[in-house]
Amino acid sequence: MEKRPEQELVRIGKLEQLKELGIDPFGQKYDVTHHSVEIKEQFKGKTHEELEEENNIVKVAGRIMFIRKMGKASFFSIQDKLGFIQVYIRKDVVGEEQYALFKMADIGDIVGVEGMVMITQTGEITIRAEKYTHLVKALKPLPEKFHGLQDVEERYRRRYLDLIMNEEAKRVAIQRPKIIRAMQEYFDNEGFIEVETPVLQNIQGGATARPFITHHNALDANFYLRIATELHLKRLLVGGLERVYEIGRIFRNEGMDRTHNPEFTTVELYQAYGDLTSMMDLNEGVIRHCAKKVIGKEQFKNPFNPDGELIDISKPFRRVTMCELIKEKTGVDFKANNYTLEEAIELAKKHNVEVESHFTVGHIINAFFEEYCEADLIQPTFLCGHPIEISPLTKKDPLDPRFVQRFELFIAGKEFSNAYTELNDPLDQRERFEEQLKEKEQGNDEANEMDIDFVEALEYGMPPAGGIGIGVDRLVIFLTESTTIRDVILFPQMKTR
């Protein structure tokens, strides 16, 4: 038998009292007419006399967060999904039975209140209760008001308590779907079709990442949880849909930190007859649209350095190549010098850049960028000119085949988007997959596998296209001025206790 603390035993005793009174301790349907913030906005600026004359009756429901019980009249506040509102309850108004029921209430209980909107002597918009309804008995007390959940890990494990006690958590939870809907609105208005593609895939592809593997019993075969939506969306371009996007969950069996969770949300989008510049325009446009529509401003705190410089999205985003940045920081010019692998390895050693067994010159260029340049890209920057070795699905730069037509959008030193002029040459694509297979044999378990069906799809002809993937979670972090991915995912992955 579970041994409960004294506070919980007292609440269970009250639960039994409710049953004896013929009241269901866990409630019934209740018709809500207003929410807290709506009432405050609707009646803001009214005088006490005006409200008395208007006799505005509202019905609200929510969780009791504060009680000041007095003799024959009391104050309490309830919290609903939008905020808080104060309630004034008098015994001679609601009657002896309902007032006695209120006196049994504990902080955390969920109740319904019907009454008239009034203003107190201190100027606070308040509901004067005319009917009080018990809805749900809370058997556990809430965390202390001023201390809340002191263990940050517990905030994410018990998100329901975090949402009750932390107004900031609730604000982000409400704004996230609004941001996603604003993205959908923007893409829909640009003529894109929202689609769904499989989460379970029999080939690892579309990105360089370590997958989760699961087993399908009926087929007696292993499948991957998708690491990207790319290859299926491109098949739809072959099929003639021309402009498609998907907002969906992606799964990568990798580390966890303030910007990484094993499952996360992206939007991937492909535009037939577009290219890299099309994706840049679209990327800038959707970020500004979401900021204006949901947040209402263009300057934001750096989520990873809140005391640093404000990040301004109103100006055109900077466009620069990887090699230009490396040259700025280190003096090494990978663009002008066609270094051999041995020469590149020596440069890496000289500059304390770590080299792995499967690295080519292109991998070393990327390692230089990550070591010396990435963290300094604070204002929105389109990073272009990626080496071909790290971009197996991207069209080559016609002026220099060592590099590809790709950009990554960096904000606050973190990658937010990844975009290509898409590779649609099936012969070139087959060669890239073969190179990826060689990397896998050399120990790169993030390399793509050969997707024969996708190559065959390209052989039917895929239009020239631009494509982009945008990290939805990181965009929400930025726009809500949060500081970690765990703040913007309601149930992030946590270590087992």
Side-chain angles (χ1 to χ4, degrees), residues 175 178-179 182-183 284-300 313-314 475 478-480:
Q175 285 184 332
K178 291 182 178 179
I179 291 168
M183 297 179 82
E284 285 195 43
V286 73
I287 291 175
R288 291 198 185 102
H289 176 75
C290 292
K292 181 179 180 181
K293 178 100 177 179
V294 182
I295 311 298
K297 63 180 183 179
E298 293 180 315
Q299 291 189 329
F300 296 84
I313 64 169
S314 66
L475 183 58
F478 174 64
L479 293 178
T480 60

Side-chain angles (χ1 to χ4, degrees), residues 186-347:
Y186 183 83
F187 297 140
D188 291 347
N189 289 340
E190 292 292 320
F192 288 85
I193 301 167
E194 186 173 11
V195 298
E196 294 177 310
T197 63
V199 171
L200 289 177
Q201 301 183 354
N202 59 357
I203 290 175
Q204 176 185 345
T208 52
R210 187 178 294 115
F212 287 95
I213 301 173
T214 188
H215 188 77
H216 191 294
N217 291 333
L219 295 177
D220 191 22
N222 285 340
F223 280 76
Y224 300 108
L225 297 184
R226 67 185 178 194
I227 58 173
T229 55
E230 177 168 342
L231 300 185
H232 283 88
L233 291 174
K234 285 182 176 178
R235 286 170 167 89
L236 299 179
L237 293 191
V238 175
L241 293 188
E242 292 193 359
R243 294 189 177 204
V244 294
Y245 74 94
E246 179 173 12
I247 297 174
R249 275 289 214 238
I250 301 298
F251 305 86
R252 296 184 180 176
N253 196 356
E254 298 173 344
M256 298 187 295
D257 58 32
R258 66 192 305 183
T259 60
H260 293 89
N261 194 64
E263 55 176 314
F264 58 98
T265 303
T266 67
V267 55
E268 282 201 51
L269 175 147
Y270 294 88
Q271 178 181 338
Y273 314 113
D275 65 1
L276 209 59
T277 57
S278 310
M279 297 301 101
M280 288 182 179
D281 295 340
L282 203 69
N283 202 177
E284 285 195 43
V286 73
I287 291 175
R288 291 198 185 102
H289 176 75
C290 292
K292 181 179 180 181
K293 178 100 177 179
V294 182
I295 311 298
K297 63 180 183 179
E298 293 180 315
Q299 291 189 329
F300 296 84
K301 291 180 182 178
N302 182 332
F304 313 115
N305 181 19
D307 297 326
E309 63 181 294
L310 289 176
I311 296 171
D312 189 350
I313 64 169
S314 66
K315 302 170 185 175
F317 296 179
R318 182 189 182 193
R319 304 181 182 192
V320 65
T321 70
M322 190 178 283
C323 288
E324 287 170 342
L325 287 176
I326 293 170
K327 185 179 177 182
E328 283 178 15
K329 295 291 184 179
T330 69
V332 178
D333 191 344
F334 283 101
K335 180 73 172 176
N337 298 288
N338 197 359
Y339 293 114
T340 65
L341 178 58
E342 290 73 20
E343 290 170 336
I345 290 172
E346 282 303 312
L347 285 168

